[in-house]
Amino acid sequence: MTDFGALSIAPPVLAIVLAILTRKAVLSLFLGIWSGAVIVTGGLGIVQTFEWIVAAISDEFQATILVFTLLLGSGVAMVWNLGGTAAVREWALARLDSQRKAGLVAWGLGVVLFFDDYANTAIVGSAMKDVSDRLRISREKLSYVVDSTAAPVATLGISSWVAFQLSLIGEGYESAGVDAANRPGTFEVFVSSIPFNMYAILAIVMVLVIVGTGRDYGEMLTAEHRSWTAGKVTRDEAVPMQDVAGELGEPPASTPRLVNFFVPVAVLIAVTIATALWSGEFSPIGFAGDLAAGEFGPAGGRLWDAALDASYEVALMIGSFAMVASGFALGKAYDVFGVGDATEYTIDGFGIMLTAAAILSLAWGIGEAIDALGTGDYVATMAVGSVSPALLPALVFVVAGVIAFSTGTSWGTMGIVTPIAIPIAWEVSGGGPAGHTLVAAMVGVIFSGAIFGDHSSPISDTTVLSATFTGADLIDHVRTQIYYAVTVAAVVVLLLVIWGFTRVTPLALLPLGAVVLVGLVYLLSAVDARRRGIDPVSVREVQSDDGDAVVVAGTEQED
């Protein structure tokens, strides 16, 4: 393959810079792909540009995710037309009478729905959007909460991520030349790496701190100030990734019913999990036998094996289809609409996801260009060289973050960096027990950096989906979230440097990191609010549409 060197960085940098400056994600991504095609072909590159886009769409995994996204749009349209959205809004507003409570519920849902980051963003974003709008939480803030509890949670527990992560550990040891007899099991290394996945852990903590204190800084403070004073949950020129009310109109349901919200969502979750286990060849009878024999354990057993072998993208597609089917059934059961109207709503639902589908396709397309240019390999090889063991974890975290930010893929970053970083860790540590310790640290650090870069990147699929399901403008989501992501990343670098020189257990460093985050949030919010002449106090009193006072961030609301 041709070595394009530093030139390989140009397409992703161009796409990211243009996206942030122009706020035109589709145009920026297309120009990024095109620039890569010009570099590779040495000519106009139009044919190569569309070959990459077609390749991205025709990839089985990515095509399945596109179908899932479109079907989920149909599911959202069904819930809307059934009156389920209105019902849950009324139900939630009777119980969630402050921004803090709504934020905590969104955070809690994000933590509980750990089995897949895509499903996490879809369910939490769709469930909380109307409630947060009523409480004047900016769409940017909701997108941040959703995005920062999806991938971080998924990478820490039993999810669609774990099987991929376990395979990378084995590949890393093989690249280091360590045979299976002289290394611990991959699951053992994965568990040991979790405390070193500091960004994922502290990102979840950061959301809790931001929501709990009601304090913001950077562009998020601008967004929140606009929302709580003017009632504008998006800025005037924003282009939300979806606008259900604007595109679908008033729902035909005259009587909002909670069942019309919770049943489709429950069907989505239940069918997704069941299909995932089925695709992993889970046997309930065999599982019951394992339990009876006392042979079930976290690193073995049929349930665990099925979870690791599952095809989560297929499960999500079937789950979203079942959600749409439940809408047909509920519409008929409650005499809200018939099959003909339900079919129209299904097609309308596709429409509200077209922007997301277009951006996802182009984001994957620039991934094809980056792969052809060897961008990730170039950055990793140039940055991770001869370095002391004390600084290696912090350096690898930064490198993984840069690659993920540039490529928009956390999984791709893990695949690029792991076979480079683990052999280096094994070599500089001298092998043996010290080597295994540094390898475990390296695994956690790679995952951590990959998630950080992915969170900060406008060309990341999870960033796109978080903005989509919360109805935010994609670039506004990126511009507001990056302040918090960088804050957490800076604390992680500090902790990794401390660990590198002291080898103190990361379980002691993580609470220190949480305390530092709390201090930084108070400090930065106070300084930024003072600079802007804005009161940083968390209780925000605004005027509702009927003129009554509404305390949206305190403990009560009157309307």
Side-chain angles (χ1 to χ4, degrees):
M1 186 178 76
T2 304
D3 183 6
F4 294 96
L7 201 58
S8 66
I9 303 174
V13 169
L14 176 65
I16 290 167
V17 171
L18 284 177
I20 293 174
L21 292 180
T22 68
R23 299 180 189 264
K24 305 294 184 184
V26 171
L27 176 63
S28 301
L29 286 167
F30 181 80
L31 291 177
I33 299 170
W34 192 1
S35 68
V38 170
I39 293 171
V40 168
T41 63
L44 190 57
I46 291 293
V47 174
Q48 181 64 75
T49 298
F50 284 98
E51 283 181 352
W52 280 334
I53 294 172
V54 170
I57 297 172
S58 59
D59 176 86
E60 183 177 354
F61 174 85
Q62 289 162 186
T64 305
I65 292 300
L66 278 179
V67 174
F68 154 69
T69 302
L70 294 173
L71 283 172
L72 203 57
S74 297
V76 170
M78 285 293 181
V79 171
W80 173 266
N81 285 295
L82 284 165
T85 303
V88 79
R89 181 173 60 243
E90 295 173 3
W91 176 81
L93 286 175
R95 295 158 178 80
L96 304 178
D97 52 10
S98 72
Q99 288 187 345
R100 182 177 293 113
K101 289 181 182 178
L104 289 173
V105 168
W107 177 85
L109 286 173
V111 171
V112 169
L113 298 171
F114 56 83
F115 61 90
D116 183 82
D117 53 330
Y118 290 160
N120 191 313
T121 58
I123 294 168
V124 181
S126 300
M128 297 302 300
K129 183 175 61 178
D130 290 296
V131 177
S132 68
D133 282 357
R134 178 63 181 81
L135 295 172
R136 298 194 180 186
I137 299 172
S138 66
R139 293 279 180 84
E140 294 95 324
K141 184 68 163 289
L142 181 61
S143 292
Y144 161 66
V145 174
V146 169
D147 202 358
S148 293
T149 53
V153 170
T155 194
L156 295 172
I158 301 176
S159 70
S160 53
W161 291 59
V162 177
F164 177 67
Q165 292 171 324
L166 290 176
S167 69
L168 289 178
I169 294 170
E171 291 173 9
Y173 267 115
E174 289 175 7
S175 298
V178 183
D179 58 55
N182 295 320
R183 67 187 193 224
T186 54
F187 181 76
E188 181 182 344
V189 176
F190 171 74
V191 172
S192 300
S193 75
I194 291 176
F196 293 97
N197 195 345
M198 293 179 178
Y199 180 83
I201 295 170
L202 292 180
I204 297 169
V205 172
M206 182 68 163
V207 175
L208 186 59
V209 172
I210 292 292
V211 169
T213 62
R215 290 175 173 263
D216 294 290
Y217 57 92
E219 292 201 34
M220 188 70 81
L221 179 59
T222 302
E224 282 291 275
H225 184 65
R226 177 203 69 226
S227 186
W228 82 65
T229 56
K232 297 178 179 180
V233 295
T234 59
R235 62 183 176 85
D236 290 335
E237 299 81 15
V239 181
M241 294 289 285
Q242 63 161 276
D243 179 10
V244 177
E247 295 190 38
L248 300 181
E250 288 297 316
S254 57
T255 305
R257 295 181 175 88
L258 284 175
V259 67
N260 289 335
F261 179 88
F262 288 109
V263 167
V265 171
V267 167
L268 169 65
I269 296 173
V271 173
T272 297
I273 293 175
T275 305
L277 293 176
W278 172 81
S279 68
E281 299 183 355
F282 174 67
S283 168
I285 297 175
F287 177 64
D290 287 346
L291 287 178
E295 297 176 356
F296 176 71
R302 297 175 191 269
L303 183 61
W304 175 260
D305 292 340
L308 293 185
D309 295 336
S311 297
Y312 286 91
E313 72 281 5
V314 174
L316 288 168
M317 179 176 64
I318 300 302
S320 59
F321 171 75
M323 182 184 187
V324 175
S326 71
F328 274 75
L330 289 168
K332 188 68 175 176
Y334 289 104
D335 198 26
V336 179
F337 48 71
V339 173
D341 287 335
T343 303
E344 291 297 323
Y345 299 149
T346 300
I347 297 172
D348 291 342
F350 293 161
I352 65 177
M353 291 297 184
L354 287 181
T355 299
I359 294 177
L360 278 174
S361 299
L362 291 174
W364 291 327
I366 201 170
E368 295 285 332
I370 288 166
D371 184 59
L373 290 163
T375 305
D377 289 330
Y378 170 76
V379 174
T381 303
M382 289 295 293
V384 183
S386 179
V387 65
S388 71
L391 296 176
L392 184 60
L395 175 63
V396 169
F397 171 79
V398 173
V399 170
V402 170
I403 294 174
F405 181 80
S406 303
T407 61
T409 168
S410 51
W411 283 33
T413 299
M414 294 173 189
I416 290 168
V417 180
T418 301
I420 297 173
I422 286 184
I424 292 174
W426 185 260
E427 181 179 345
V428 300
S429 64
H436 295 307
T437 299
L438 190 56
V439 165
M442 203 58 54
V443 169
V445 165
I446 292 168
F447 297 166
S448 194
I451 294 170
F452 160 59
D454 190 65
H455 263 174
S456 309
S457 177
I459 61 175
S460 159
D461 52 1
T462 51
T463 304
V464 172
L465 290 175
S466 295
T468 297
F469 295 120
T470 57
D473 180 290
L474 172 61
I475 306 304
D476 288 348
H477 168 45
V478 174
R479 290 169 68 114
T480 51
Q481 176 166 273
I482 197 167
Y483 289 87
Y484 299 157
V486 170
T487 299
V488 176
V491 172
V492 169
V493 169
L494 173 64
L495 297 182
L496 290 174
V497 170
I498 293 173
W499 181 83
F501 283 101
T502 66
R503 288 298 196 269
V504 63
T505 173
L507 296 176
L509 293 175
L510 286 169
L512 172 63
V515 172
V516 172
L517 283 179
V518 172
L520 286 174
V521 167
Y522 273 91
L523 174 63
L524 294 173
S525 62
V527 170
D528 202 19
R530 188 178 302 114
R531 179 179 66 84
R532 298 164 183 251
I534 299 173
D535 186 356
V537 177
S538 63
V539 177
R540 302 160 183 168
E541 185 171 313
V542 299
Q543 296 296 314
S544 66
D545 294 337
D546 57 12
D548 294 332
V550 182
V551 181
V552 293
T555 57
E556 61 183 354
Q557 172 183 298
E558 295 178 0
D559 193 12

